[in-house]
Amino acid sequence: MSTLNVPGIAYGGDYNPEQWPEEVWAEDVRLMREAGVTMVSVNIFSWALLEPAEGVYDFSRLDKILALLHENGIAADLATPTAAPPAWFFRAHPEALPVDRDGRGLSYGSRQTFCPSSPAYREAALRIAGELAARYADHPAVVMWHIHNEYGCHNAECYCEASAEAFRGWLRAKYENLAALNDAWGTTFWSQWYYDWDEIIPPRATGAVPNPAHQLDWRRFCSDELLSLYKAEREVLREAAPEVPATTNFMVMFAFDALDYWRWAPELDIVSNDHYLQSADPESEIDIALSGDLVRSLAGGRPWLLMEHSTGAVNWQPVNRAKTAGELRRNALAHVAHGADGIAYFQWRAAKAGAEQWHSAMLPHAGTDSQIWRDVVALGADLKALAEVRGSAGTASVAVVWDWNARWALELPSQPSEKVRYPDLVRAWYEPLWRAGVAVDFVRPDADLSAYRLVLAPSLYLVDDEAAANLTRFAQSGGTLAVGFHSGAVDENCHVRLGGYPGAFREALGVRTDELFPLLPGESVGLSGGGEGVLWSERVRLEGAEAVTSYTSGPLTGVPAVTRRTYGTGTTWYVATLPDASTLAALLDRIRAEAGVAPVRVTPEGVEAVLRRGSEADYLFLINHGDQGAEVEVAAQATELLAGKRLDGGRVTVAPGDVAVVREPRPATP
């Protein structure tokens, strides 16, 4: 993992000066300095201006922009503009346009309207990346390469003939022969057996439900195909400037699931992410925390960069709400709390034309006489005060299993219930930990788990033998493993594990289910001890476990709903329903207490507590999401960094809607 050559917590946003006359640029950099901006991303959507015709280049505008930034002490995250090929490219190569699942060809006229498997696109993208690398590899303003933009946001899947051929090539590399593929895909079902590789096509629209294994391999291929584009551009840049780190902006947030970021993250020199709030989410601060913890985990526990978020409203949701008083600051500092060493926005100056003209910016349409601008300037001062936090890491003894393959498989058609959604289940289990101030990492199912006391698998429908053994071995060796319903049901090829559910985890959990009873919308079942279960129930039989909670209503009255087993020197739990929020919180409190997991700090309700650990001190972030002031106990001789104030009394007060960041010295080790 490389280091970004920008001091302190980097601050800035996407800068698109090509949208404005040159006389505006001087005002831009003056205001950037006033706001404390230290780095901006440039050139993200400038391909048409840099290469007005094939092989004809004009870098004069970009030369001036980079020189101006450098003269004013502002670093450049220089992008390859390959997310938006120019119109001339598509006129010359109409075969590079994508085709959707229904066979409909899409047109150019927006961004990311290209086929990821197009040879013509790849050639053109690498050519413009090479020109940029040759010209700016040694430019003093350039501190990082920003490759492409939001891979897969609009074109994760293309169903054209070029994609079909690339898919077949990917399958040939994965499977030894057609017999192995037919076995993995279970093609004896519905007469889908393949006798020739050329018979295989993408899972295009068809009359009935497509083969789930076919669909799953297609999702894997699509992620890998885009990754190959990223790696190809990175190698072009690395050859010219091996010391300049490269990144691309992930989209770890509520709706995006196109890419397997566990496969992507090791290929990035610096992991970065885009995150936007969902207007319909009344507690979007939970999604910020979950996303931040997942991105930090993708970065191997190291700091990461927030490449995009919004100062106010976005423009692409059904209703785009503005942020409330203090929300801009809380959002940004929450990302820092969860590991971000850089805070950036889309975009610097709000656009007056184009598809994103109603998207908020650091410098809004109203100009500097606006609340957003005042908040942006104040945030710049806050981030400067937090410079010493840079490089500190999170610390967690709880791991939550996250797997894109399991998510893709669970949400394929023809499941027992289409209402079971992977991110909803993970958030339901994450939320009580967040409220309690418990530090959380996310892990692959096959990860090294030795650093954790407690591992939670809220939803792991698909799991291979190696990963299942890894998780159960963790419990057998003294850890605590809690597994959610419908986990372990299928292997890596979406083949049901026979003999009863929960498949791969039956023995370790000490239970066996012979039939599933998913619940209808609005339906619930009572649970012994109070509370209710929604979404799911199943007929569980004890085979070594003990019942902790049972159903008290419905057809499964008296059947275990939550079980516990001593397994080896550890403990396993199975949760065969989705308990209501308070019941699930109480259950997870019990599980983590038994596992010896404590919160980073006990705080009043509504106050989020997050800890980053530095080499000589800990940094306690306290974010008050409530409407009441709160007092929190801190270490003696602590300092509140945002106010620059010593806290000799061992307590800090956090006003409603406010944030405190407390440096707590760590005693020197003998």
Side-chain angles (χ1 to χ4, degrees):
M1 188 70 67
S2 301
T3 301
L4 182 66
N5 188 23
V6 176
I9 306 296
Y11 185 42
D14 284 14
Y15 181 38
N16 299 293
E18 66 275 5
Q19 297 176 10
W20 302 92
E22 190 170 341
E23 55 265 27
V24 175
W25 300 355
E27 180 189 26
D28 280 334
V29 294
R30 178 181 65 80
L31 291 175
M32 286 179 191
R33 295 177 64 179
E34 180 180 328
V37 167
T38 58
M39 182 179 75
V40 292
S41 298
V42 293
N43 200 50
I44 293 176
F45 295 114
S46 298
W47 194 346
L49 298 178
L50 292 181
E51 190 177 9
E54 184 171 351
V56 177
Y57 302 100
D58 180 2
F59 293 105
S60 58
R61 182 183 291 101
L62 186 54
D63 287 346
K64 292 179 182 178
I65 292 165
L66 291 176
L68 183 63
L69 291 172
H70 182 60
E71 289 164 8
N72 285 272
I74 300 166
D77 169 33
L78 181 57
T80 61
T82 52
W88 63 255
F89 169 79
F90 290 115
R91 291 187 67 195
H93 300 284
E95 78 283 0
L97 287 164
V99 174
D100 69 12
R101 187 170 178 267
D102 294 317
R104 180 185 57 160
L106 303 183
S107 179
Y108 61 89
S110 62
R111 64 181 186 177
Q112 291 180 324
T113 50
F114 62 86
C115 165
S117 299
S118 164
Y121 168 78
R122 180 180 291 254
E123 180 182 348
L126 296 184
R127 185 175 65 242
I128 188 68
E131 293 292 331
L132 284 165
R135 190 174 189 89
Y136 299 113
D138 299 319
H139 197 289
V142 177
V143 297
M144 184 165 63
W145 298 114
H146 184 308
I147 299 176
H148 199 80
N149 184 72
E150 295 180 339
Y151 274 102
C153 182
H154 303 287
N155 64 337
E157 300 174 78
C158 173
Y159 295 83
C160 73
E161 285 304 317
S163 297
E165 184 60 34
F167 182 41
R168 288 189 285 268
W170 184 91
L171 293 170
R172 283 176 180 268
K174 178 175 181 178
Y175 296 104
E176 183 178 350
N177 48 48
L178 269 174
L181 179 141
N182 279 307
D183 181 64
W185 284 14
T187 55
T188 52
F189 187 82
W190 279 359
S191 190
Q192 294 174 13
W193 191 272
Y194 296 105
Y195 291 94
D196 191 293
W197 289 103
D198 288 340
E199 294 170 359
I200 301 172
I201 59 174
R204 296 169 177 147
T206 187
V209 178
N211 183 329
H214 184 179
Q215 294 177 85
L216 182 59
D217 264 349
W218 171 252
R219 296 295 299 269
R220 292 163 171 157
F221 157 75
C222 290
S223 177
D224 282 356
E225 191 75 343
L226 286 166
L227 178 56
S228 75
L229 290 175
Y230 167 81
K231 290 164 66 176
E233 286 196 37
R234 183 201 61 196
E235 290 310 304
V236 168
L237 300 168
R238 185 174 283 174
E239 183 176 352
E243 301 304 317
V244 179
T247 191
T248 190
N249 39 346
F250 288 172
M251 298 177 66
V252 177
M253 52 183 170
F254 56 90
F256 187 75
D257 72 342
L259 306 180
D260 181 353
Y261 285 135
W262 288 123
R263 289 178 62 83
W264 280 68
E267 304 295 341
L268 275 61
D269 296 322
I270 296 175
V271 169
S272 64
N273 189 53
D274 294 353
H275 185 274
Y276 291 98
L277 306 185
Q278 188 175 16
S279 292
D281 185 352
E283 294 185 297
S284 54
E285 59 268 23
I286 301 173
D287 192 61
I288 291 175
L290 191 158
S291 172
D293 285 343
L294 180 49
V295 178
R296 186 192 67 249
S297 302
L298 288 165
R302 290 173 53 86
W304 51 279
L305 300 180
L306 180 67
M307 196 61 72
E308 288 184 29
H309 70 313
S310 66
T311 57
V314 298
N315 69 302
W316 41 267
Q317 296 179 24
V319 176
N320 298 291
R321 72 168 182 86
K323 292 189 176 181
T324 56
E327 192 174 5
L328 179 154
R329 182 174 187 253
R330 288 195 304 277
N331 290 170
L333 295 181
H335 284 294
V336 177
H338 290 273
D341 269 3
I343 295 295
Y345 290 95
F346 179 83
Q347 58 180 324
W348 162 251
R349 183 183 284 269
K352 65 178 181 180
E356 294 179 302
Q357 67 192 82
W358 290 109
H359 195 293
S360 61
M362 300 176 77
L363 184 60
H365 292 139
T368 56
D369 185 13
S370 62
Q371 187 59 51
I372 280 182
W373 174 251
R374 289 186 284 273
D375 289 345
V376 162
V377 173
L379 178 60
D382 284 339
L383 295 176
K384 186 176 182 180
L386 298 181
E388 67 180 83
V389 173
R390 173 181 169 146
S392 57
T395 174
S397 55
V398 177
V400 175
V401 178
W402 180 286
D403 184 59
W404 273 274
N405 282 268
R407 178 175 182 175
W408 294 335
L410 179 68
E411 297 181 3
L412 290 172
S414 297
Q415 283 287 324
S417 172
E418 66 177 16
K419 301 300 181 183
V420 177
R421 307 293 293 174
Y422 186 90
D424 296 341
L425 294 176
V426 174
R427 174 161 164 167
W429 284 48
Y430 176 87
E431 181 177 332
L433 302 172
W434 174 84
R435 293 190 188 281
V438 175
V440 169
D441 287 341
F442 286 87
V443 294
R444 300 167 56 118
D446 59 352
D448 179 0
L449 304 175
S450 58
Y452 304 103
R453 293 176 177 266
L454 172 61
V455 173
L456 306 177
S459 181
L460 199 59
Y461 168 68
L462 175 149
V463 64
D464 64 26
D465 292 344
E466 180 182 351
N470 182 56
L471 293 166
T472 56
R473 202 164 43 239
F474 165 78
Q476 195 170 27
S477 301
T480 298
L481 172 68
V483 177
F485 64 81
H486 206 31
S487 292
V490 301
D491 66 13
E492 66 273 19
N493 296 315
C494 277
H495 292 198
V496 173
R497 295 179 180 274
L498 303 179
Y501 320 118
F505 300 116
R506 279 199 316 267
E507 179 185 347
L509 298 175
V511 298
R512 182 177 181 273
T513 293
D514 71 335
E515 192 163 5
L516 308 174
F517 290 76
L519 302 175
L520 297 172
E523 188 178 8
S524 64
V525 289
L527 300 175
S528 60
E532 61 182 20
V534 298
L535 201 64
W536 191 271
S537 62
E538 56 187 65
R539 188 160 55 213
V540 173
R541 186 173 75 199
L542 301 178
E543 293 189 345
E546 60 178 307
V548 174
T549 302
S550 300
Y551 302 112
T552 60
S553 64
L556 301 180
T557 297
V559 171
V562 178
T563 65
R564 179 186 184 278
R565 183 189 187 188
T566 299
Y567 184 62
T569 57
T571 306
T572 60
W573 293 76
Y574 185 53
V575 184
T577 187
L578 179 61
D580 64 83
S582 61
T583 302
L584 181 57
L587 174 63
L588 290 174
D589 280 348
R590 174 182 170 180
I591 292 172
R592 68 175 177 82
E594 288 188 13
V597 173
V600 298
R601 199 63 44 95
V602 176
T603 62
E605 184 178 353
V607 178
E608 178 181 1
V610 190
L611 194 70
R612 288 184 63 165
R613 174 149 292 177
S615 58
E616 299 178 356
D618 292 339
Y619 300 97
L620 177 65
F621 286 72
L622 299 167
I623 307 170
N624 191 345
H625 300 287
D627 54 9
Q628 300 291 324
E631 196 173 64
V632 179
E633 185 175 344
V634 298
Q637 300 180 335
T639 301
E640 203 290 301
L641 294 178
L642 296 174
K645 178 181 177 182
R646 286 287 299 271
L647 302 170
D648 294 326
R651 303 189 73 80
V652 64
T653 299
V654 190
D658 203 0
V659 181
V661 182
V662 180
R663 181 211 295 130
E664 297 183 318
R666 189 179 311 117
T669 55

